[in-house]
Amino acid sequence: MYFWPDMATGTKIYFASDFHLGAGGYEGSRAREDRLVRWLDMIKADAAEVFLMGDVFDFWFEYKTVVPRGYLRFLGKLAELADSGIKLYLFKGNHDMWMFDYFEQELKATIISDELEIERNGKKFYLHHGDGLGPGDATYKLLKKFFRSRFCQWLFARLHPNLGVGIANYWSQHSRIAGLADKERMFYEQEWLQVFSRELLTQKYFDYLIFGHRHLPLDIQLDDKSRYINLGEWVNYNSYAVFDGEELRLEYFEKIKKF
């Protein structure tokens, strides 16, 4: 039997989202993977927990005996963090919703299908990838129910991986990660997840409401105490958030550009 160590001495909590590994061709994805490995190397000294909040991969499907090719350096670094006792959480995004038990077995990671509410050092967090929330994504909200169904998963698993992954990669090319539309910035005050966050706060209190999905790094004060954080993505921004036990900050690694 393998015994997992509990040696992590760090105290900080890190949040990141929307790496979209596999998007942008092999060279672009590898360059992004190398940045992520450098980032994970940087945070491993003081991290207690790492939350990877969806769309880590541009596509991911775990067949019973097959997982997608590639990402060895990134997965190896995650294994190194897990082996050191750092707790990992992986959220299912709209591009990698077909995670099952591979990361649980190999990394002892916790897989989150939807929202997660946590409290750390007296601060309350609401965490969600962000897909299917707020006043938008109407078509996707319908598709999500189908894609998350056991029947759809069973049906896709019947395809040979060469065909199934090929179809999925073609579909993923339409992701807006390929080019952030300037018009999205124009709707700052009506940003979908900000609207959702304000509505949620009428029902329950949170200090921080953290999402990915929208690809815009945002830190918005919703009222006197609560903040909406969007983690952005790693094609244009290399943005992430860190909680040091007292305050949460949105930061940039090897900054490309900042919104």
Side-chain angles (χ1 to χ4, degrees), residues 9 65 68 218:
T9 58
T65 57
L218 297 171

Side-chain angles (χ1 to χ4, degrees), residues 11-79:
T11 59
K12 293 182 180 180
I13 304 173
Y14 288 88
F15 307 86
S17 183
D18 291 87
F19 304 154
H20 286 270
L21 289 171
Y26 177 77
E27 291 185 2
S29 179
R30 266 300 314 279
R32 197 175 319 127
E33 181 181 10
D34 288 344
R35 285 201 306 275
L36 287 165
V37 168
R38 293 194 297 273
W39 175 66
L40 292 170
D41 254 334
M42 180 188 75
I43 71 173
K44 69 181 181 183
D46 60 12
E49 299 175 282
V50 178
F51 293 80
L52 303 182
M53 295 182 56
D55 287 359
V56 170
F57 306 98
D58 205 52
F59 170 71
W60 185 268
F61 185 86
E62 294 171 23
Y63 293 86
K64 187 174 182 180
T65 57
V66 177
V67 295
R69 179 176 176 175
Y71 323 124
L72 289 177
R73 294 158 185 83
F74 172 70
L75 294 176
K77 186 57 63 175
L78 288 183

